[in-house]
Amino acid sequence: MNPTFLKQEAKQCVNGNRFVLLKPYLIIWIISYLISGIFTFITMGQIGFDTLASFELEAAVDMISNSLTMTISSLLTTFITSPLTYGLILYYNQFEKEHYADLNIVFSRFSNIIKIFVITMFVNVLVTIGCMFLMVPGIVLACAFGIIPYVYSKHPELGIMDMISLAWKMMNGHKMEYLMLELSFFGWYLLGAFTCGIALLWLLPYQQMTMVKYFNSIYDSYNNVANTI
């Protein structure tokens, strides 16, 4: 498997179709913004009322309140956008195969929103625990489980632990390769930061198509090996 070749293929697939491939990202961004904005508006209104009722609140109480607000807002945003992110992968998979994608497919995973949220949070906790002990275990876990949304796109019927187990097996011998592929886009993210996100409009379709092609290559290779055993 040649990541450079996959990136070249992805670039050819994206060329001339960038706006079509940006549509699901725009949907996720808008929904995320609306959720966080509405939640912040509601909670800030509540905080303002409490402040009038009790003007001399301690700084520690304010910090806890703000932290709780941010945590709940983050969890709510993750809960709503996680199935959209999984749907985005289906969208790119369809486009990669057919050079066409139905935008409705982005919303198709809401029927499994609880399962997807649990998977997302479980993997995040595993990676966080790995990083708490040493950075290397965290990176290894992130590389091993980074393909879980792609695994889910192929096998939504699997249980959470079976999905994690399959992702771990599929990434055996590919973790460093996956890390290097992710890091190859690091310069583009820096450029995106310097251009206030404008460069990301070029990067995101290119990167996501590359990752879809990369996962499909790993998936086909894994199945070929499994079928010969």
Side-chain angles (χ1 to χ4, degrees):
M1 184 184 313
N2 188 335
T4 302
F5 178 71
L6 290 178
K7 291 176 72 174
Q8 291 174 348
E9 281 193 331
K11 189 179 295 185
Q12 292 175 0
C13 188
V14 170
N15 285 342
N17 300 296
R18 198 168 306 279
F19 178 72
V20 173
L21 295 173
L22 274 173
K23 286 181 180 180
Y25 280 106
L26 295 175
I27 290 172
I28 294 174
W29 289 340
I30 292 171
I31 292 177
S32 298
Y33 179 79
L34 288 176
I35 293 172
S36 60
I38 292 172
F39 187 81
T40 300
F41 177 79
I42 294 173
T43 53
M44 289 305 291
Q46 181 63 41
I47 291 171
F49 177 79
D50 293 342
T51 302
L52 290 174
S54 178
F55 183 74
E56 296 182 354
L57 292 176
E58 295 182 2
V61 175
D62 286 337
M63 185 178 298
I64 293 173
S65 178
N66 290 336
S67 298
L68 184 61
T69 298
M70 291 178 62
T71 300
I72 296 175
S73 178
S74 177
L75 288 174
L76 182 61
T77 302
T78 301
F79 182 74
I80 299 298
T81 59
S82 290
L84 292 173
T85 302
Y86 280 57
L88 178 146
I89 292 171
L90 290 178
Y91 184 90
Y92 272 72
N93 256 318
Q94 185 181 33
F95 193 89
E96 194 263 342
K97 293 178 181 178
E98 305 174 18
H99 296 284
Y100 162 81
D102 183 358
L103 198 58
N104 291 322
I105 202 172
V106 177
F107 302 93
S108 64
R109 292 309 188 192
F110 271 103
S111 58
N112 295 320
I113 188 170
I114 300 296
K115 182 178 181 179
I116 290 175
F117 178 71
V118 172
I119 293 171
T120 301
M121 296 308 299
F122 186 74
V123 171
N124 288 344
V125 169
L126 283 179
V127 173
T128 300
I129 292 174
C131 290
M132 286 174 62
F133 287 100
L134 284 172
M135 185 61 68
V136 173
I139 293 175
V140 171
L141 290 173
C143 291
F145 300 140
I147 66 165
I148 283 181
Y150 301 91
V151 173
Y152 189 92
S153 69
K154 300 288 187 180
H155 297 286
E157 76 284 355
L158 289 179
I160 294 174
M161 297 310 299
D162 290 334
M163 206 170 296
I164 289 174
S165 176
L166 178 58
W168 182 267
K169 291 175 182 177
M170 289 179 61
M171 289 303 291
N172 184 33
H174 296 288
K175 297 182 189 68
M176 182 58 68
E177 182 181 67
Y178 177 87
L179 177 62
M180 291 298 103
L181 182 58
E182 288 281 14
L183 289 177
S184 69
F185 295 103
F186 182 71
W188 281 105
Y189 279 110
L190 286 179
L191 184 60
F194 285 122
T195 59
C196 299
I198 295 176
L200 296 181
L201 298 177
W202 190 94
L203 168 65
L204 291 176
Y206 169 43
Q207 183 197 30
Q208 186 59 253
M209 187 59 70
T210 300
M211 300 312 298
V212 164
K213 287 181 173 291
Y214 179 71
F215 169 76
N216 287 338
S217 297
I218 290 178
Y219 182 79
D220 292 341
S221 176
Y222 177 82
N223 282 337
N224 290 335
V225 172
N227 291 333
T228 59
I229 296 177

